[in-house]
Amino acid sequence: MAIFAGCSTTHVDSSRMEKGSFLHTEKGDPISQGDTYKVNLRKNRVKLDKKTQYSQTRTKHFAKVKRERIETETYKPSAAIIIALPAQPFCWAGSILVMDNPASCLELLYEKEMDWRVKRSRVPGQTFTESKEVSFSKWYPGSNNKVSLYLNQEKLANLRTNDEGVAKFDLIKLLSSRSLPPGTLLKGKEATLMAASRGARDTLSLSHDYFDGLPREYWIAHYKAQKSVLAKKELIHTTCGKAAESTREYFRCYYRSKTVQTAFGPGELHAPPGKGSSAVGPKAIEWRDGRTFSGKTVRGDNGQPALVGEVTYPDGRRFVGDVLNDNSDGTLYSPSGDILFSGKFKNGRPTGWGTGETESGSLKPVKFADGEKVSNPARKEAEKAVETEHQRAMEATQEKVEELEEETATQEAEKKKLASAFSDWKRHNSKMWEKCACEIPMDMGGQFCLSANPTFESAEEREAHERAAERRHRVCMEWARSDRRDKGDYYEKRMAQVDRDLDRKLEQIEEERRLAEIRRERLRRKHERQRQAKIRARKAEIKAQREKRLAEKKRNCQASYARTGAVVCGCQPFLDVGDVATCMK
């Protein structure tokens, strides 16, 4: 009987360099990239803040590590009892009878075990670095900077900020010491105070009551300086002079109650004392180009004030209707009293279809565009309608082509999606094969691999190693038993089918384009032959429609006049009421 001892062999299967463990971080000096400023305005102070933008290089250092995959091959004496009789052609090993040369019994002497482990060790003197540019900002007081102060775009003063970035001021004192006229303060609904510095600005709205704090001397001095200019608006000057008890109230009346925005542009509104532009009652407006308005303010259908009356032009023309609205109704007369246009006015200009008067005095439909009369409007509308109809017919010939192109785009998107999924699937299978080639049995496509566990492992380490190996084996077997080959075949077949469908669609598109060009050519020839006849027919339809609407409007206007006794704006041509200077909304 012989006694045998076990042995083991270890070798490095692979090794590579890795980034390794973190050592420390180095930060470069911050570099300023520029400054931006922010202004914060209050009634008695301005605060200026500066934001500085920095960039900095941050470098991380790592120790390089060498990673080695070590395989261990261990041979241990077999647990079986082996009896070898050299003189006999057999040996007995436990319950196994070997009928052969006794030398064959040596194969039963050892059990071979394979194991592997990963060893990481730092490489002396070698490091790995990562550099990154980062940006950040910091806020600082905008100290010792100039801040300009404006009121309604008029410059008041230049201020200087202190070490905290703050500049204080007294607005009333600044206004008292400046020569800004009251018109700068009181025009508009409210005044706007603005502070600006270094490209930044902030605004603050101030009500007109804020300026009541100005001293009495300010108002008196400016009234004396502007008296001759103010007196040119005689009616406003007289009205406000009688109504006001002080120069301050006079300026409030003069600047706050005189301007009205109408469809004909801003004008000077002459209102009775104590009443604003929205009060119901008689009104008069003057424009700088010489136009005048006389009429009254009434309450409209929506409860808002409306100006109705007569606008007289310097050349003798007259407009009677609604003045205040951008989209108003009214009638425009020539200097001789003929009706030029009755209908809709936009921003004071006749717009769209309306009613006009011929040389014989009869009424007819007319059309204006941006204040200019359109010659032969029915024919132009007919030409436009015929061309639009032809264009739509031409576009309809492309509908089938566009439908096929949309289907092609859908299939191309599907092909791209399939290709992406197929690529992901192949990449996943490649990774799984790298991990599982040694775990799968050879009859399922696996490889024959040797593995061993290191002899110096503790029982806990070996148990953890075995659990990890069991999990890996389970995952790999699930992947090996999956339908991965069938899925790959599906992707290939489906992509081939999509390619065939795309080729067929492209052929259909080319054929449909050829047919569409034939149809378009036929439509062009037909349009050239029938264009004039279609225009005449469409023109007759438009004229009939306009005559019908004219008669309908006439009936409505006459019925309204018979019911209320008042002339509705835009109804003057249909009523025998003579020369009227106002109308009803």
Side-chain angles (χ1 to χ4, degrees):
M1 181 176 293
I3 299 176
F4 300 93
C7 63
S8 63
T9 303
T10 302
H11 69 278
V12 177
D13 179 61
S14 63
S15 64
R16 63 181 180 181
M17 302 293 287
E18 292 183 348
K19 183 169 65 176
S21 57
F22 174 74
L23 294 176
H24 63 278
T25 300
E26 291 181 358
K27 296 182 179 180
D29 294 332
I31 301 175
S32 175
Q33 300 295 322
D35 299 328
T36 56
Y37 291 83
K38 179 181 178 181
V39 176
N40 190 350
L41 174 63
R42 293 294 179 265
K43 287 185 178 180
N44 59 353
R45 64 192 291 271
V46 180
K47 189 171 189 314
L48 182 65
D49 294 311
K50 178 178 71 171
K51 182 174 76 170
T52 303
Q53 193 76 23
Y54 295 97
S55 66
Q56 186 181 47
T57 302
R58 295 182 181 177
T59 305
K60 291 184 178 181
H61 294 269
F62 301 85
K64 275 195 174 181
V65 172
K66 184 177 182 181
R67 179 183 182 275
E68 296 177 321
R69 187 176 184 273
I70 301 175
E71 288 190 347
T72 304
E73 190 177 81
T74 305
Y75 295 88
K76 303 172 71 176
S78 174
I81 299 174
I82 301 174
I83 301 174
L85 300 176
Q88 301 296 332
F90 67 90
C91 64
W92 187 269
S95 60
I96 302 174
L97 180 63
V98 179
M99 301 299 295
D100 201 347
N101 190 292
S104 300
C105 293
L106 295 176
E107 297 178 1
L108 303 175
L109 292 177
Y110 293 99
E111 291 180 354
K112 183 170 67 173
E113 293 183 358
M114 300 295 295
D115 196 6
W116 65 273
R117 64 186 177 90
V118 176
K119 178 183 177 183
R120 289 182 172 85
S121 59
R122 288 181 58 175
V123 181
Q126 294 193 32
T127 59
F128 176 84
T129 59
E130 284 184 350
S131 295
K132 183 180 180 181
E133 288 285 339
V134 296
S135 298
F136 61 95
S137 59
K138 289 185 178 180
W139 285 94
Y140 303 97
S143 56
N144 197 28
N145 278 277
K146 184 179 75 172
V147 180
S148 299
L149 205 62
Y150 298 85
L151 182 66
N152 288 343
Q153 305 300 322
E154 294 287 341
K155 191 169 183 179
L156 281 178
N158 289 327
L159 310 175
R160 180 68 62 174
T161 59
N162 58 20
D163 293 340
E164 297 177 354
V166 176
K168 297 182 179 181
F169 61 90
D170 188 331
L171 182 58
I172 296 298
K173 288 184 178 180
L174 285 176
L175 291 173
S176 300
S177 61
R178 295 281 297 168
S179 59
L180 291 180
T184 304
L185 315 180
L186 301 176
K187 281 184 179 179
K189 294 183 179 180
E190 55 187 14
T192 301
L193 183 65
M194 182 180 71
S197 177
R198 299 279 189 167
R201 62 183 60 190
D202 191 19
T203 58
L204 184 67
S205 297
L206 301 174
S207 67
H208 292 159
D209 295 337
Y210 180 81
F211 303 111
D212 290 347
L214 288 169
R216 180 171 175 268
E217 290 77 11
Y218 168 85
W219 303 102
I220 294 175
H222 282 285
Y223 179 76
K224 291 179 179 179
Q226 295 180 258
K227 185 175 180 180
S228 60
V229 177
L230 299 171
K232 291 182 179 178
K233 298 293 183 180
E234 182 178 352
L235 181 56
I236 304 174
H237 177 68
T238 304
T239 302
C240 291
K242 292 178 179 179
E245 296 180 358
S246 65
T247 51
R248 183 189 64 191
E249 291 182 2
Y250 168 82
F251 280 114
R252 287 166 67 94
C253 171
Y254 189 92
Y255 286 112
R256 293 177 60 184
S257 303
K258 71 166 190 169
T259 302
V260 60
Q261 181 69 35
T262 71
F264 292 82
E268 307 301 330
L269 176 64
H270 302 172
K275 293 186 178 181
S277 60
S278 61
V280 175
K283 295 290 184 297
I285 300 176
E286 294 178 0
W287 284 271
R288 292 173 181 171
D289 59 3
R291 291 174 296 164
T292 59
F293 167 80
S294 62
K296 61 182 179 178
T297 301
V298 298
R299 293 295 177 188
D301 298 334
N302 56 0
Q304 297 298 318
L307 281 172
V308 292
E310 181 181 52
V311 176
T312 303
Y313 293 82
D315 60 2
R317 290 179 299 155
R318 294 185 305 115
F319 167 82
V320 179
D322 176 15
V323 176
L324 190 61
N325 297 318
D326 292 340
N327 192 12
S328 57
D329 295 285
T331 302
L332 182 65
Y333 296 90
S334 67
S336 60
D338 297 332
I339 297 174
L340 298 176
F341 181 83
S342 180
K344 291 288 183 183
F345 285 74
K346 186 169 182 63
N347 295 326
R349 297 182 177 184
T351 303
W353 283 95
T355 306
E357 191 174 7
T358 63
E359 294 180 358
S360 61
S362 60
L363 300 179
K364 67 172 183 178
V366 294
K367 186 178 182 181
F368 277 71
D370 197 23
E372 299 294 332
K373 186 176 181 181
V374 180
S375 60
N376 204 352
R379 179 173 178 84
K380 290 183 178 179
E381 279 199 8
E383 291 175 350
K384 184 177 180 180
V386 170
E387 291 299 329
T388 301
E389 180 183 356
H390 171 65
Q391 188 63 31
R392 288 176 180 171
M394 294 288 283
E395 291 174 356
T397 61
Q398 293 288 334
E399 290 180 355
K400 183 64 176 177
V401 175
E402 292 174 356
E403 181 182 343
L404 290 172
E405 287 177 345
E406 289 179 1
E407 294 176 0
T408 302
T410 302
Q411 289 182 340
E412 287 178 346
E414 182 184 0
K415 179 182 177 181
K416 186 176 180 180
K417 187 176 180 181
L418 280 171
S420 177
F422 191 27
S423 176
D424 292 343
W425 176 85
K426 289 192 293 185
R427 187 163 50 250
H428 172 70
N429 275 272
S430 176
K431 290 182 179 179
M432 291 299 292
W433 174 253
E434 292 177 1
K435 295 178 180 179
C436 300
C438 296
E439 300 290 339
I440 304 173
M442 296 181 66
D443 58 350
M444 297 180 67
Q447 295 179 353
F448 177 74
C449 303
L450 298 177
S451 62
N453 292 322
T455 56
F456 51 82
E457 280 186 334
S458 64
E460 292 80 4
E461 291 175 338
R462 182 175 293 277
E463 185 179 354
H465 177 78
E466 289 175 353
R467 285 198 301 269
E470 288 176 2
R471 287 195 298 269
R472 184 171 63 251
H473 180 73
R474 184 171 61 253
V475 171
C476 289
M477 290 304 296
E478 289 176 359
W479 171 73
R481 294 190 183 102
S482 65
D483 57 345
R484 65 184 193 280
R485 293 187 178 88
D486 295 340
K487 202 166 186 178
D489 294 340
Y490 162 77
Y491 281 125
E492 292 177 351
K493 291 179 181 178
R494 182 61 186 145
M495 290 179 66
Q497 180 63 40
V498 171
D499 285 334
R500 290 192 293 270
D501 293 344
L502 279 173
D503 292 339
R504 186 166 59 253
K505 287 292 183 185
L506 292 175
E507 292 176 358
Q508 292 179 1
I509 289 174
E510 290 300 323
E511 178 63 18
E512 193 58 38
R513 284 175 177 169
R514 186 182 66 82
L515 296 175
E517 185 60 35
I518 294 174
R519 289 193 291 268
R520 284 198 299 273
E521 184 60 30
R522 290 175 180 174
L523 283 173
R524 279 193 288 268
R525 294 176 182 176
K526 183 179 178 181
H527 178 67
E528 291 299 326
R529 292 195 305 269
Q530 300 179 357
R531 181 174 180 273
Q532 295 301 326
K534 287 183 177 180
I535 290 175
R536 288 193 295 270
R538 184 62 178 159
K539 179 181 177 181
E541 291 179 8
I542 293 172
K543 282 188 173 182
Q545 291 174 0
R546 289 299 162 188
E547 292 292 345
K548 183 179 178 181
R549 293 184 182 180
L550 191 66
E552 184 179 353
K553 186 173 182 179
K554 181 178 180 180
R555 289 194 300 270
N556 294 337
C557 289
Q558 291 176 349
S560 175
Y561 182 71
R563 185 173 64 255
T564 63
V567 179
V568 177
C569 295
C571 285
Q572 293 92 324
F574 309 105
L575 303 176
D576 187 13
V577 292
D579 190 8
V580 295
T582 187
C583 59
M584 180 183 70
K585 275 187 62 66

